[in-house]
Amino acid sequence: MTPASPHLQHYAKALLAGAALATVAVNLAPSLYYDIIEWHPFDSDPLYKLRLFWPGFTPATLVSSLLMPVFVLLIGKEIWEALLQDHGGLRGKLALAPVAMVLGGMVSSALVWLALTAWLETAEEAVDAIGWVMPFGSDMVLAFFFGRMIFGKGHAALQVLLFMCILDGVLGLLISGFSAPINGNLRALWLLVPFCAAAFGYFRLTRPLQNPRVTERDRQRAGRLWPWLILGAFSWIAMSASGLPPALAFLPLLPAMPYGNHSFGLFAEAEGLLNDPLNRLSHALMRPVIVILFLLGLTRGAMDLGAFGPTTWIMLGALWLGKPLGILVAAWGMRVVGHPLPNRLTLREIGYIAGLMAIGFTLPLLALETALPGGAMQEAARLGLGLSLTMGPALVLLSRYGLPLSRNR
């Protein structure tokens, strides 16, 4: 495995910078801040009927609906290759333990959310909410940022951490989308469009590249990216219209796109040397995603310090207690049945991974609008997501002064 791309560090810094600016703005001038991010430049009723940029075209929905699908495509591409490529680091049985730990963390965090909601929540509107999906999205960007401080550059645990965080986030978006679709109504027939677009792309663009007798001219023609951009536009419109999170819009195209036959590791720097369409697209998106994550922090990451409420405690309990507990129980269960932990990691290293996955921010912010009632409850949950970031520095200090890790890797 080659070292991960330095862009991951830039992603974390951009996200934190955007969220910090937004937090200062919302606490000092909340009216001005909300007027800017909720500004409607034109009448978006025609878009509303198709649930595009729901609930209206604003700077905030522009980022979450149109730009964040690019980020999800980027992380989805990494997990797709790790699972399916011949030399993927988590192909076949290698994925069993990480997947089990992710599912364990999701189930445990949901149960803790429900238990704490029954104990602490007093708002009547919380009864029918599906807030239990909120802790599902571990923050891959920030977990890696702090994980690199704990494990060191190139440590085998970082690849496992990236895989688990991405899987947790994508599954969380899927579950929240089906549990609480946009406007409370799932239009499942629209989902045929992304899969038809993927089928068209495979048979007309990808399959010709697999023919050993194809000419170089036809190979160049079939490897162009612009047809995939058109198919992506159809997929995005249909995903939004169906009621699922628009952030998932480009994922159905991943299985259809041509990709390399060798894996260097998740977000490996060496992938920039590959020339297949999927890696070329990924390489072209690396720098724009820095701006996208800054804008996400700026438009969705504002933490109102006066919004502290029961939902804040519920969010922190589900993330800090439920998720690590479920991951560790699953890891212990794998050891009991004799299945090795991924990359020969120790239980202490898995413990740090479990703690880092208790950081929830980027993808849960996208699920917030439909998973919880608007107003005070959403702002309290957003504050809980923001406070969960403090787990990162706490684990860094613990690794240096409390429970250090062996550096002999």
Side-chain angles (χ1 to χ4, degrees):
M1 299 295 177
T2 61
S5 169
H7 282 98
L8 291 178
Q9 300 293 92
H10 301 324
Y11 293 165
K13 294 173 184 177
L15 179 63
L16 291 173
L21 286 175
T23 298
V24 171
V26 81
N27 285 281
L28 294 182
S31 297
L32 177 61
Y33 173 76
Y34 286 116
D35 284 345
I36 292 174
I37 69 166
E38 295 177 0
W39 173 56
H40 292 260
F42 57 84
D43 180 11
S44 55
D45 281 348
L47 298 177
Y48 182 84
K49 293 177 181 178
L50 270 178
R51 296 194 279 198
L52 303 181
F53 303 103
W54 185 89
F57 187 90
T58 66
T61 57
L62 174 66
V63 174
S64 60
S65 297
L66 186 60
L67 300 184
M68 281 304 290
V70 174
F71 172 71
V72 175
L73 171 66
L74 198 65
I75 64 175
K77 173 255 185 190
E78 298 296 330
I79 198 172
W80 174 256
E81 292 180 337
L83 286 170
L84 294 179
Q85 283 186 335
D86 291 339
H87 301 285
L90 293 163
R91 180 178 171 85
K93 293 182 179 180
L94 295 175
L96 184 59
V99 170
M101 289 188 284
V102 167
L103 295 178
M106 295 176 77
V107 171
S108 180
S109 62
L111 292 176
V112 170
W113 177 284
L114 293 172
L116 291 178
T117 298
W119 180 31
L120 298 174
E121 193 63 77
T122 57
E124 293 183 5
E125 58 266 29
V127 176
D128 297 324
I130 61 145
W132 49 268
V133 304
M134 289 301 301
F136 286 176
S138 297
D139 198 297
M140 179 273 294
V141 170
L142 297 175
F144 180 85
F145 180 74
F146 293 111
R148 188 171 173 179
M149 298 181 191
I150 295 171
F151 296 111
K153 183 179 180 180
H155 195 288
L158 294 176
Q159 288 289 307
V160 179
L161 174 65
L162 284 172
F163 176 85
M164 291 176 63
C165 286
I166 295 171
L167 182 62
D168 188 37
V170 173
L171 286 179
L173 280 179
L174 279 169
I175 293 171
S176 66
F178 280 103
S179 302
I182 294 174
N183 213 22
N185 178 27
L186 179 66
R187 302 172 181 173
L189 284 178
W190 276 103
L191 295 177
L192 293 175
V193 176
F195 292 103
C196 288
F200 178 89
Y202 175 75
F203 287 107
R204 294 300 301 269
L205 301 173
T206 300
R207 196 166 181 178
L209 291 175
Q210 300 171 347
N211 186 349
R213 293 176 293 181
V214 67
T215 65
E216 185 59 29
R217 181 179 178 180
D218 290 338
R219 184 180 300 276
Q220 292 292 331
R221 183 178 300 170
R224 291 176 298 185
L225 292 178
W226 67 263
W228 291 104
L229 300 180
I230 296 174
L231 294 175
F234 282 109
S235 184
W236 177 78
I237 293 171
M239 189 69 71
S240 299
S242 74
L244 294 184
L248 299 170
F250 303 141
L251 292 187
L253 300 180
L254 277 177
M257 290 191 71
Y259 55 87
N261 58 7
H262 185 82
S263 175
F264 296 97
L266 275 70
F267 285 97
E269 220 173 342
E271 288 182 348
L273 303 175
L274 300 178
N275 198 41
D276 59 274
L278 185 55
N279 275 292
R280 284 194 285 120
L281 178 61
S282 171
H283 190 65
L285 296 176
M286 279 287 189
R287 291 184 184 276
V289 166
I290 298 175
V291 179
I292 290 172
L293 290 178
F294 172 78
L295 292 175
L296 177 73
L298 197 61
T299 57
R300 297 291 188 184
M303 291 166 277
D304 183 353
L305 301 181
F308 203 97
T311 311
T312 307
W313 287 115
I314 294 168
M315 177 67 75
L316 291 174
L319 286 171
W320 285 357
L321 175 62
K323 181 164 285 186
L325 179 62
I327 293 170
L328 289 172
V329 168
W332 176 79
M334 299 302 291
R335 288 283 295 270
V336 168
V337 301
H339 194 282
L341 296 178
N343 288 355
R344 300 180 181 178
L345 299 180
T346 65
L347 281 176
R348 179 174 293 189
E349 290 166 334
I350 294 295
Y352 277 105
I353 289 175
L356 289 167
M357 289 188 65
I359 301 172
F361 198 64
T362 305
L363 295 184
L365 289 175
L366 302 180
L368 189 60
E369 298 297 321
T370 55
L372 290 172
M377 192 176 294
Q378 281 190 12
E379 294 309 312
R382 195 189 314 272
L383 180 59
L385 290 172
L387 292 175
S388 74
L389 271 61
T390 59
M391 177 64 79
L395 291 173
V396 172
L397 292 175
L398 181 65
S399 69
R400 293 180 179 176
Y401 303 109
L403 296 172
L405 294 169
S406 172
R407 299 294 181 179
N408 298 323
R409 276 184 180 269

